[in-house]
């Protein structure tokens, strides 16, 4: 018996375990994660499978067909010894699982644009397909946001307005409000030019200002039904909180899977090479040109990985003088980036101030083009900034000596910050104009009532104009730039200038930033313009068909492709940044800026948020005490400490899991070394036998 034991002790895995036991035995005893041979896991695994047959389906186990058949026989044998009640529970559980599977299969056939997205996936791969799936997600998100606002705000108003139910409006009683603050001039109904309706439709003024599209239309305190009174101000605020919370939870839920996959792929560079070489092909591709494009994309990724490895080696060999020089250059270039951003923000500020000061002129004193230019001046400046800054950032990044992958990520991050920060600059500029004035109106009303009698409606009009102008730009670029460019490339390809220009690329990051920009506008503007999510839904539906047509007929896919998992996580991360930036101005406007006294449901409140304390004051005294106790510092401090302890526990648990994963990877490596060692010994034994 001694020779086999000695032979097993020569295995690399046995030597490694013996060496580890002598050095870190105490740590292994504490964690309880000692490495075991591969065969030691087989019997507990089979025992666990046999024990869990009642709770899990056999198809969920990674076993071959013969093993699954054997387990099914065991399961049928176990059923004979169960009571009738247990047998009924098991059969009902199976029937319920089968029903859920059939229901999921049915719902897949009801998915919006299912065939279109599958066709795009088959022709252009999963990277571009993930963009259109993301666009479908935004359509569904905006539709649900609109339904929330419609059910809580618009539906009760419509039911009362058109006498569908036995209810009546409860008008807002004006309490201790100066008459000067309640003046809301209605647009004049004199001579109307032919283009006035076009300007009203594009800017949200005129006849649109008095509709349910904007905040000022809901100047009522509630609706009185037979048995209760519907509190419209509370419902209006709760609808805003509800759609923001829904958006946050839905985005986080969808981004968890992509984050896990990205975290696993970023662990080891060798694993990245293996994934690209052995699992990098997209088997959804059926088009020959897309197959060639995928080949070039894989070659590009491998070259980029090798370039990153070369840069890491170059960084390791860099001297202190070279390090000081490159960091000084990067500091200087980042100062230039900040200067470009500052110049863009200042231009938006000046354009917004100029537009707000001159848009109050009578419409007959301006020509059509001048009036439209004044109205859309902030939108035009924002669009120009979003077009020019990515070009500048792409030129600057080449001199910063980063790896190719980090160059892409940093450029995209700068463009994301630029696109989304421009909206915040516009909103904060409007906020500064609303709360500042030359006379004593601000002391009387709390805001500039002379220029902004209903400032919420005017902020909603600015968001409406941004939404419409962004939609017009997307259509104009596709129809009047991409399509003629495609015709020139197709029929005038012999010209050298056309050859250098080339066909327009369907760049996924740029298109994603565009729709995230539009979604951020929708999140901010939905409070000031309750029907803006419906407009965003219609806009994204049209964009889907326009982008699909552009992809099929006018553009070519970018040679720098994205994996579907990486793309989904990147899209949702950018969308989450946009949501966070949208929450900031909304929170400030609801909690700090005084509500308009001339329009809207919050005319009797100093701020929008004051409706919450007023509602709480109507609760029973015991419930009030409970709410005040939960929101007090005495509860907040222990709650924060408990949250910190839970967070530390999960951090420690994640560290333990990470150590287990490292040990399992080492075990896989040792098993491969054992196999090589055994093959070597077997070859030597065969050679000795042959000799």
């Amino acid at each position: 018996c001694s020779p086999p034991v000695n032979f097993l002790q020569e295995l690399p895995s046995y030597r490694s375990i013996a060496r580890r036991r002598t050095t870190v035995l105490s740590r292994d005893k504490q964690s309880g994660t000692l490495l075991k041979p591969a065969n030691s896991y087989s019997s507990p695994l089979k025992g666990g499978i046999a024990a869990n047959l009642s709770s899990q389906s056999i198809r969920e186990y990674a076993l071959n067909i013969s093993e699954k058949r054997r387990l099914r026989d065991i399961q049928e044998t176990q059923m004979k010894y169960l009571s009738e009640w247990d047998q009924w529970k098991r059969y009902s559980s199976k029937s319920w699982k089968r029903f859920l599977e059939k229901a999921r299969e049915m719902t897949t056939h009801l998915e919006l644009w299912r065939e279109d997205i599958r066709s795009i996936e088959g022709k252009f791969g999963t990277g571009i397909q993930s963009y259109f799936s993301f666009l479908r997600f935004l359509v569904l998100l905006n539709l649900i946001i609109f339904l929330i606002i419609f059910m809580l705000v618009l539906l009760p108003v419509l039911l009362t307005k058109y006498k569908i139910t036995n209810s009546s409006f409860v008008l807002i009683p004006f309490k201790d409000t100066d008459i000067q603050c309640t003046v809301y001039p209605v647009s004049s109904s004199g001579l109307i030019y032919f283009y006035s309706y076009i300007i009203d439709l594009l800017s949200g003024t005129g006849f649109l200002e008095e509709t349910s599209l904007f905040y000022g239309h809901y100047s009522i305190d509630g609706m009185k039904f037979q048995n209760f009174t519907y509190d419209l101000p509370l419902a209006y605020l709760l609808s805003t909180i509800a759609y923001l919370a829904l958006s946050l939870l839905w985005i986080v839920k969808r981004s968890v899977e992509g984050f896990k996959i990205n975290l696993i792929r970023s662990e080891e560079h060798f694993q990245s090479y293996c994934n690209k070489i052995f699992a990098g092909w997209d088997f959804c591709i059926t088009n020959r040109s897309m197959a060639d494009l995928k080949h070039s994309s894989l070659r590009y990724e491998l070259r980029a990985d090798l370039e990153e490895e070369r840069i890491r080696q170059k960084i390791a060999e860099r001297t202190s003088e070279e390090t000081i020089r490159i960091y000084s250059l990067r500091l200087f270039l980042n100062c230039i980036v900040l200067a470009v951003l500052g110049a863009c923000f200042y231009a938006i500020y000046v354009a917004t101030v100029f537009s707000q000061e001159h848009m109050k002129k009578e419409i007959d004193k301006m020509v059509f083009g001048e009036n439209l230019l004044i109205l859309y001046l902030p939108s035009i400046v924002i669009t120009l900034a979003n077009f020019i800054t990515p070009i500048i950032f792409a030129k600057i990044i080449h001199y910063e000596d980063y790896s190719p992958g980090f160059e892409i990520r940093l450029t995209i991050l700068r463009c994301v910050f630029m696109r989304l920060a421009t909206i915040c600059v516009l909103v904060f500029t409007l906020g500064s104009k609303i709360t500042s004035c030359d006379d004593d109106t601000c002391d009387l009303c709390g805001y500039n009532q002379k220029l902004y009698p209903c400032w919420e409606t005017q902020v909603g009009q600015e968001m409406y104009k941004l939404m419409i102008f962004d939609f017009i730009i997307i259509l104009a670029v596709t129809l009047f730039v991409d399509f003629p460019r495609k015709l020139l490339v197709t029929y005038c390809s012999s010209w050298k200038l056309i050859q250098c220009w080339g066909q327009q690329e369907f760049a996924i990051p740029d298109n994603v930033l565009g729709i995230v920009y539009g979604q951020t506008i929708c999140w901010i503007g939905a409070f000031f313009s309750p029907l803006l999510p419906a407009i965003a839904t219609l806009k994204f539906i049209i964009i889907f068909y326009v982008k699909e047509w552009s992809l099929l007929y006018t553009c070519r896919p970018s040679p720098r492709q994205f994996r579907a998992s990486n793309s989904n996580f990147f899209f949702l991360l950018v969308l989450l940044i946009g949501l966070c930036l949208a929450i900031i101005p909304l929170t400030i406007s609801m909690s700090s800026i005084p509500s308009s006294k001339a329009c809207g449901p919050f005319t009797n409140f100093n701020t929008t948020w004051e409706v919450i304390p007023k509602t709480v004051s109507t609760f029973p005294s015991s419930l009030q005490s409970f709410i005040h106790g939960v929101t007090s510092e005495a509860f907040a401090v222990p709650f924060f400490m408990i949250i910190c302890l839970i967070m530390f526990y999960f951090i420690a648990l994640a560290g333990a899991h990470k150590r287990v994963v490292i040990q399992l990877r080492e075990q896989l490596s040792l098993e491969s070394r054992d196999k090589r060692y055994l093959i070597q010994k077997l070859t030597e034994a065969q050679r000795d036998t042959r000799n």
Side-chain angles (χ1 to χ4, degrees), residues 457-472:
T457 294
Q458 288 166 291
V459 173
Q461 289 171 349
E462 291 298 327
M463 297 296 106
Y464 174 82
K465 286 187 287 185
L466 283 176
M467 180 77 71
I468 297 298
F469 190 74
D470 180 59
F471 179 62
I472 293 173

Side-chain angles (χ1 to χ4, degrees), residues 469-572:
F469 190 74
D470 180 59
F471 179 62
I472 293 173
I473 290 297
I474 291 175
L475 291 181
V477 169
T478 303
L479 297 177
F480 302 114
V481 177
D482 294 344
F483 184 65
R485 182 173 177 177
K486 169 68 175 178
L487 294 178
L488 290 174
V489 171
T490 304
Y491 298 104
C492 304
S493 57
S494 59
W495 298 0
K496 291 185 177 180
L497 181 61
I498 301 299
Q499 291 178 359
C500 295
W501 194 17
Q503 192 175 346
Q504 176 66 32
E505 290 184 1
F506 191 87
I508 296 177
D510 295 340
N511 285 282
V512 169
L513 293 181
I515 59 176
V516 170
Y517 169 77
Q519 183 59 42
T520 307
I521 294 172
C522 177
W523 276 324
I524 296 176
F527 175 77
F528 308 103
S529 177
L531 295 184
L532 202 61
I535 299 174
T537 304
L538 183 62
K539 169 190 170 183
F540 286 141
I541 290 174
I542 298 174
I543 287 176
F544 182 91
Y545 290 107
V546 169
K547 290 297 181 180
E548 183 184 15
W549 178 81
S550 175
L551 175 65
L552 294 174
Y553 299 107
T554 65
C555 295
R556 61 182 175 89
S558 175
R560 184 177 296 168
Q561 292 192 337
F562 283 72
R563 284 184 179 269
S565 58
N566 295 344
S567 302
N568 290 329
F569 178 67
F570 164 71
F571 300 163
L572 294 168

